[in-house]
Amino acid sequence: MSEIVIIHHNEAVTTSLAIAEGVGMDHHSVLVLLKKHVESLAEFGGVEFQIQPFETNGGKQWRDVYFLNEQQSTLLVTFMRNSPVVVEFKKALVRAFFELRAKVNAPDLQRGPGIDRGEGRPRLQVQVERSELGRPQVDVQPVEVVLQDQRGDL
């Protein structure tokens, strides 16, 4: 089995392919379920996908592969029937997100404690205003990040 949880754009995510493999479903069936509930999933962040190549007996084909954060993937698997395989995958998914989070937040032994762990993660300022029609207008701007040692000796 491939990795369940990966880092993609500085965020822990899983893919629709990993979910399909983990629950023993074909990828198309997972995509049908995902697209049926895409509005609910979008409440927990943007639902991103990439068109990726894969090899078949007839040559190269292309497929949509979705990237889901922890909340989105947890919600998606709750929409599946609790067969023994699905239950085992749900536990593995929760465990994989937990383990990756622990690994990312572990102290860096080469640099020692006290380093701001936010480095390399883009900081964004989000402003939400309502339009005349009451619809949200979102403006996202990157914020300059200055790395600083918490001990002050950087």
Side-chain angles (χ1 to χ4, degrees):
M1 178 184 259
S2 60
E3 287 186 68
I4 298 173
V5 178
I6 59 171
I7 299 293
H8 178 73
H9 297 303
N10 294 321
E11 182 179 16
V13 298
T14 191
T15 66
S16 53
L17 283 172
I19 292 171
E21 184 179 338
V23 298
M25 293 173 65
D26 62 278
H27 188 237
H28 176 75
S29 297
V30 171
L31 293 184
V32 169
L33 184 65
L34 188 152
K35 290 174 183 178
K36 177 180 178 182
H37 297 286
V38 73
E39 288 181 13
S40 295
L41 297 171
E43 290 180 31
F44 297 96
V47 179
E48 179 188 344
F49 73 93
Q50 289 180 352
I51 301 172
Q52 296 181 351
F54 68 104
E55 291 296 325
T56 67
N57 290 337
K60 186 184 285 190
Q61 299 286 320
W62 298 87
R63 63 181 163 206
D64 295 346
V65 176
Y66 283 78
F67 295 87
L68 303 171
N69 65 29
E70 184 173 8
Q71 294 84 9
Q72 292 166 329
S73 58
T74 302
L75 181 61
L76 181 62
V77 296
T78 64
F79 297 137
M80 297 177 179
R81 290 192 181 111
N82 282 328
S83 69
V85 172
V86 171
V87 169
E88 287 304 311
F89 179 74
K90 287 177 181 182
K91 292 189 301 188
L93 182 65
V94 169
R95 191 175 299 113
F97 272 108
F98 180 81
E99 288 171 357
L100 184 59
R101 189 170 30 256
K103 193 182 303 183
V104 168
N105 291 328
D108 187 337
L109 298 178
Q110 292 179 339
R111 297 196 313 183
I115 302 294
D116 176 6
R117 302 302 294 172
E119 66 185 46
R121 296 183 187 139
R123 306 271 172 113
L124 302 175
Q125 178 178 354
V126 179
Q127 260 184 311
V128 180
E129 297 178 3
R130 295 277 175 193
S131 69
E132 294 174 13
L133 299 174
R135 294 188 179 120
Q137 301 289 346
V138 179
D139 181 38
V140 179
Q141 297 294 322
V143 176
E144 185 177 331
V145 176
V146 178
L147 297 179
Q148 179 179 349
D149 184 292
Q150 294 171 353
R151 295 177 306 241
D153 60 2
L154 216 185

